[in-house]
Amino acid sequence: MKIKFLVLLTLSIFSITKTSAQINIDRTLGALQTGVASFTFSNEDAANVASQAVKKMDSANVVAGPKDGYTLRLNRVFGKHATENGLKLNYKVYLTKEVNAFACADGSVRVYSGLMDIMDDNQLLAVIGHEIGHVANEDTKDAVRSAYRNAALINAVGATSDKVAKITDGQAGQIAGALLDSKYSRKQESEADMFSYDFMKRNGYDVNAVESAFTILAYLSGGSQSDFISRMMSSHPDPSSRAELAKNRATADGLYKAYVQKPINNKATATTTKKPATKKTTKKKK
C-alpha cells in the first residue's frame, strides 16, 4: 500500500513538474511571438544588418582585386553610379563562374564574374539596374528584416525586444544565406524590371538591352545554371514574358530596335606610356 502511494506521489510530482515546464515553454513562445509582433525595423537597421551580412559574404568569396580586369570593367561601367536614386552604392566582383548578382539594403552591389562573361556593358547595366530597383523599392529591407528575425529566433537573441540587437558572426552567416535564397513576389520583380528600364532610359543607355538581358536569362533558365536565374524568373510562368514587356515599353517609347550584343572584354589592358624622346647633343669640334 505504501509502495503504491509512493508511486502515485512520484507520478503526481512528475506530472506537476512537466506541466510547470510546459507553462514556462508556453510563456517563452508567447514572449517571442509578442516580440515578433512588435518588432520594428528601420532603413538604418536594415543597412547595418545587411552590411554585416555582406561582409560575411565577401570573406567567403574570392573578391576581384582593384587591378583585376573584372573590377576595372565594373568601375568603368558603374563608376558614375556610385550614388543612384539617393543610394550610396559600392561595387565588388566575386570571381566565380556562377551567373549571379545582388544588391543589399546598405547599398552593396555584388556581381559574379560568370554574369560579366555573358553580358555586355548595356546588358550588365540592365541587370544591375534591376537589382538596385529592389533596394530602391525597399524589397531588400523586407528581406533583411525577415532574415534577421529568423536568425534572432533561432538563437533566441533579440526576439523579445523591439530593438535590433547586434548580430553575432553566426547570425551574419545565417542572414547572408537567407538573403541569397530570398525570392521576391511577382509584383516586386515587375517593379524592379520597370526601375531597370527607367534607369536605362534616364541615363541615356540603350533600353533595348533590357529585353536582350532578360532573353539571355530566360534562355539559361531552361537549365539549372544558378539560383540567381531561378530566383529572378520564378515569379513568372513564362520567363520570356519579362523580355516581352521590356520590348513593349521600348516600342511604346519609339525606341525599339533589335539589340546586337557588343564585344565583351573582362581582361585588364596594360597601358604603357612612352617616355619622351631625348634630343641627342653633338659636341662641336674645336
Side-chain angles (χ1 to χ4, degrees):
M1 192 72 178
K2 287 183 179 180
I3 294 174
K4 287 184 180 180
F5 176 75
L6 288 172
V7 171
L8 288 171
L9 182 62
T10 303
L11 289 173
S12 297
I13 293 171
F14 176 75
S15 178
I16 292 169
T17 305
K18 183 179 179 182
T19 304
S20 299
Q22 187 62 49
I23 290 171
N24 288 334
I25 291 171
D26 290 341
R27 285 176 178 171
T28 302
L29 290 174
L32 290 174
Q33 290 171 354
T34 301
V36 170
S38 62
F39 182 61
T40 57
F41 205 73
S42 66
N43 288 332
E44 185 179 358
D45 291 331
N48 289 336
V49 173
S51 177
Q52 294 177 70
V54 171
K55 189 179 293 185
K56 187 73 175 178
M57 283 188 271
D58 287 350
S59 66
N61 287 277
V62 179
V63 179
K67 294 183 180 180
D68 189 283
Y70 287 102
T71 299
L72 295 176
R73 180 189 171 196
L74 193 63
N75 288 339
R76 173 173 56 80
V77 175
F78 291 101
K80 65 186 74 172
H81 301 294
T83 301
E84 183 64 35
N85 203 52
L87 301 168
K88 189 175 181 181
L89 306 173
N90 65 88
Y91 300 93
K92 287 185 181 180
V93 180
Y94 289 167
L95 296 177
T96 172
K97 292 181 179 180
E98 186 180 348
V99 177
N100 203 345
F102 65 87
C104 283
D106 67 326
S108 294
V109 178
R110 299 295 180 264
V111 184
Y112 290 40
S113 59
L115 180 69
M116 297 181 70
D117 287 337
I118 63 172
M119 299 273 181
D120 70 15
D121 291 355
N122 282 315
Q123 293 164 338
L124 206 56
L125 280 161
V127 173
I128 299 300
H130 172 93
E131 293 301 312
I132 294 173
H134 280 306
V135 180
N137 297 334
E138 296 194 355
D139 300 335
T140 53
K141 174 191 172 183
D142 294 338
V144 172
R145 180 185 189 278
S146 177
Y148 170 85
R149 187 180 63 188
N150 291 337
L153 283 170
I154 291 170
N155 291 278
V157 176
T160 57
S161 172
D162 61 352
K163 295 182 179 180
V164 176
K166 185 177 180 181
I167 63 175
T168 65
D169 187 66
Q171 286 174 318
Q174 290 172 10
I175 293 169
L179 290 179
L180 289 177
D181 293 337
S182 63
K183 287 185 173 71
Y184 299 114
S185 69
R186 178 169 183 163
K187 181 175 181 291
Q188 288 173 322
E189 291 290 9
S190 295
E191 289 175 347
D193 289 351
M194 191 176 296
F195 184 95
S196 176
Y197 181 92
D198 291 339
F199 166 79
M200 298 290 285
K201 184 179 178 181
R202 181 171 65 252
N203 288 286
Y205 298 123
D206 189 346
V207 296
N208 296 288
V210 180
E211 179 208 6
S212 180
F214 283 114
T215 298
I216 292 174
L217 294 176
Y219 173 77
L220 292 177
S221 69
S224 56
Q225 297 293 325
S226 78
D227 292 337
F228 167 69
I229 296 171
S230 174
R231 171 171 61 81
M232 286 193 72
M233 296 299 176
S234 63
S235 60
H236 292 272
D238 178 15
S240 61
S241 66
R242 186 167 276 171
E244 189 66 25
L245 287 172
K247 178 181 177 180
N248 291 341
R249 286 202 65 186
T251 301
D253 288 341
L255 299 172
Y256 180 74
K257 61 181 179 179
Y259 187 81
V260 179
Q261 190 179 56
K262 310 300 186 295
I264 299 170
N265 182 14
N266 290 310
K267 295 181 180 178
T269 53
T271 55
T272 55
T273 54
K274 293 182 179 179
K275 293 181 180 180
T278 55
K279 292 181 179 180
K280 292 183 179 179
T281 56
T282 54
K283 292 181 180 181
K284 292 181 180 181
K285 292 182 179 179
K286 293 181 179 179

